């Protein structure tokens, strides 16, 4: 009996998901290079120090066609020495690596509620405006012709979806106002880059997803040069079946390119008592990642901008940093040795169905 590709790729997942095989070593998972089967650039987050890690470089060269700086292109790093001493050393290093390896570069991120308050503190309105506009001009201008796209504004919406976040940017320009200004300045700085609004939990928190849709509508009506929608996709294993697919049906309505911009799926949950086995968690993760990738594949080709994971190996994940690390989470497509995880099989299955 000939096994279909889906069955062959899914077999180890099935094995891993069946407790009674828990003692058996699951068969190694074999997937083609993900960039070779993805319907658009397959990307990953990157930290400059990984460029000196030969194993990471080999895994990235084999699987990845685009890079997103994980934190060294953010204001917190660039302006660490103050507004008048921007530091582009590591973002330049990442940009040069991308160019040298034929990889695209997605800029992340120009304006974020979470950063910049200290650097902009104490400025009068005129100075604040010069600094805001100047920062975007300097950063987006520096990578003009190198960055194919930008997260112009990151995470403007409150976690419960009840409205937009208050922050130092909204206090100066208003909630929609700072977003409009940021996009207008980014458009001037780089007329060719695709400009994105980036957010998380749109598909898993209905009120937040609704708020995102309303914000996009308002921005487009206001003539904002918004050209792409970023769904970070930090998935949970307990997102209800169908929720992700339903949201894609809504977000696709704008006809804009969509970037799965920061995919990972932790096996851990907020539940205090969660006795599920690792195998059961991996099966739930596979279901969520499959639903996401299938929904992305169902978009028209022109709306499939890029598909980016927030790191390649489990130990590269922000979920595995510092005291948050439980040593067992497997939120990414490859394990700590660079071997494909069930997530990689789920992605390969969706990108190239049998
Ligand atoms: C995270 C990085 O992964 C961490 O290493 C860093 O300490 C904090 O920022 N949404 C975003 C990303 O847009 O920039 C965040 O990245 C994760 C959530």
């Amino acid at each position: 009996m000939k096994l279909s590709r889906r069955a062959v790729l899914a077999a180890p997942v099935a094995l891993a998901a069946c407790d009674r095989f828990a003692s058996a070593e699951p068969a190694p998972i074999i997937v083609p290079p993900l960039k070779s089967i993805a319907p658009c650039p397959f990307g990953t987050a990157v930290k400059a120090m990984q460029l000196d890690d030969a194993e990471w470089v080999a895994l990235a060269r084999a699987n990845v066609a685009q890079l997103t700086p994980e934190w060294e292109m953010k204001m917190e790093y660039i302006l660490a020495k103050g507004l008048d001493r921007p530091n582009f050393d590591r973002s330049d290093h990442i940009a040069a690596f991308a160019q040298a390896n034929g990889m695209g570069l997605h800029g992340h991120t120009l304006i974020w509620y979470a950063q910049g308050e200290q650097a902009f503190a104490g400025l009068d309105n005129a100075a604040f405006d010069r600094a805001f506009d100047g920062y975007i001009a300097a950063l987006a201008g520096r990578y003009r012709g190198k960055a194919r796209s930008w997260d112009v504004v990151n995470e403007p919406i409150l976690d419960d979806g009840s409205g937009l976040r208050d922050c130092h940017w909204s206090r100066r320009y208003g909630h929609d106002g700072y977003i409009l200004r940021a996009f207008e300045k980014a458009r001037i700085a780089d007329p060719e880059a695709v400009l994105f609004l980036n957010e998380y939990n749109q598909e898993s928190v209905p009120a937040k997803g609704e708020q995102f849709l309303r914000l996009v509508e308002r921005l487009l009506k206001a003539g904002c040069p918004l050209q792409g929608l970023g769904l970070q996709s930090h998935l949970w294993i307990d997102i209800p079946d169908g929720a992700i697919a339903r949201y894609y049906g809504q977000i696709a309505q704008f006809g804009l390119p969509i970037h799965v911009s920061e995919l990972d799926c932790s096996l851990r949950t907020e539940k205090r008592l969660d006795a599920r086995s690792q195998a059961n968690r991996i099966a739930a993760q596979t279901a969520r990642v499959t639903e996401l990738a299938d929904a992305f594949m169902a978009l028209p080709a022109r709306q499939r901008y890029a598909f980016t994971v927030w790191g390649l190996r489990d130990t590269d994940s922000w979920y595995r940093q510092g005291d948050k690390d439980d040593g067992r989470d497997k939120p990414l497509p490859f394990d700590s040795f660079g071997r494909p995880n069930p997530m990689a099989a789920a992605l390969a299955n969706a990108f190239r169905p049998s």
Side-chain angles (χ1 to χ4, degrees):
M1 177 186 73
K2 185 176 180 327
L3 286 177
S4 73
R5 160 171 297 280
R6 186 177 287 268
V8 169
L9 283 171
V13 177
L15 271 178
C18 300
D19 279 350
R20 60 196 172 92
F21 286 101
S23 55
E25 267 301 300
I29 295 170
I30 298 162
V31 295
L34 292 173
K35 70 178 182 182
S36 67
I37 55 172
C40 58
F42 186 83
T44 184
V46 59
K47 295 180 273 271
M49 67 182 186
Q50 289 165 327
L51 306 183
D52 299 322
D53 174 346
E55 289 174 358
W56 184 93
V57 170
L59 192 63
R61 282 178 174 151
N63 290 282
V64 162
Q66 182 169 293
L67 297 177
T68 300
E70 185 166 352
W71 70 283
E72 290 142 324
M73 200 179 255
K74 288 173 181 168
M75 194 177 276
E76 172 193 59
Y77 182 84
I78 302 271
L79 295 186
K81 297 173 182 167
L83 265 175
D84 55 352
R85 296 174 62 199
N87 179 9
F88 302 105
D89 61 349
R90 292 189 189 174
S91 50
D92 284 352
H93 186 188
I94 291 169
F97 177 88
Q99 197 153 23
N101 287 276
M103 297 173 182
L105 179 69
H106 176 75
H108 177 77
T109 176
L110 293 174
I111 297 296
W112 190 19
Y113 79 92
Q115 296 186 357
E117 185 157 19
Q118 187 182 354
F120 279 66
L123 299 181
D124 64 24
N125 285 349
F128 192 104
D129 296 352
R130 282 195 303 277
F132 185 91
D133 299 350
Y135 179 79
I136 294 172
L139 183 52
R142 186 179 188 88
Y143 298 107
R144 180 173 176 172
K146 295 186 176 117
R148 63 187 291 250
S149 47
W150 275 98
D151 289 332
V152 175
V153 170
N154 197 36
E155 303 180 355
I157 297 172
L158 288 166
D159 277 343
D160 65 2
S162 59
L164 272 60
R165 296 179 190 273
D166 293 325
C167 62
H168 42 304
W169 313 124
S170 66
R171 283 191 290 275
R172 172 75 188 99
Y173 301 117
H175 288 106
D176 288 9
Y178 84 88
I179 301 172
L180 285 163
R181 190 181 184 104
F183 273 87
E184 283 154 17
K185 300 308 176 188
R187 178 73 301 145
I188 294 165
D190 186 344
E192 283 78 47
V194 183
L195 304 182
F196 280 81
L197 179 69
N198 196 45
E199 185 55 272
Y200 65 91
N201 286 359
Q202 301 97 314
E203 65 283 297
S204 49
V205 179
K208 191 167 187 181
E210 183 61 24
Q211 193 67 241
F212 187 78
L213 298 172
R214 300 291 74 78
L215 174 58
V216 171
E217 273 172 359
R218 285 200 311 276
L219 293 173
L220 293 174
K221 277 192 184 127
C224 177
L226 167 60
Q227 298 168 299
L229 305 176
L231 280 69
Q232 291 183 15
S233 311
H234 295 292
L235 302 184
W236 316 329
I237 55 176
D238 290 334
I239 298 174
D241 272 346
I244 296 170
R246 271 193 301 279
Y247 193 73
Y248 268 74
Q250 294 176 291
I251 196 80
Q253 66 180 309
F254 296 107
L256 290 175
I258 287 172
H259 183 194
V260 171
S261 56
E262 306 181 14
L263 173 62
D264 51 28
C265 186
S266 173
L267 301 180
R268 302 295 158 243
T269 66
E270 302 295 312
K271 287 179 183 157
R272 270 170 27 81
L273 296 172
D274 187 345
R276 282 175 289 185
S277 68
Q278 189 82 336
N280 286 351
R281 293 165 190 267
I282 285 175
Q285 178 194 65
T286 297
R288 294 292 64 80
V289 170
T290 298
E291 184 179 333
L292 171 79
D294 284 348
F296 185 80
M297 291 299 288
L299 291 169
R302 62 182 164 72
Q303 286 188 259
R304 299 191 297 233
Y305 179 75
F307 197 103
T308 298
V309 287
W310 207 238
L312 289 175
R313 303 164 302 187
D314 294 328
T315 40
D316 295 324
S317 172
W318 64 319
Y319 287 119
R320 294 291 298 271
Q321 310 302 320
D323 57 3
K324 286 195 300 187
D325 182 11
D326 68 357
R328 300 187 67 224
D329 206 353
K330 301 184 68 61
L332 292 172
F334 298 95
D335 72 12
S336 55
F337 297 102
R339 298 170 303 194
N341 279 331
M343 183 187 283
L347 293 175
N349 254 328
F351 290 159
R352 203 168 73 178
S354 48

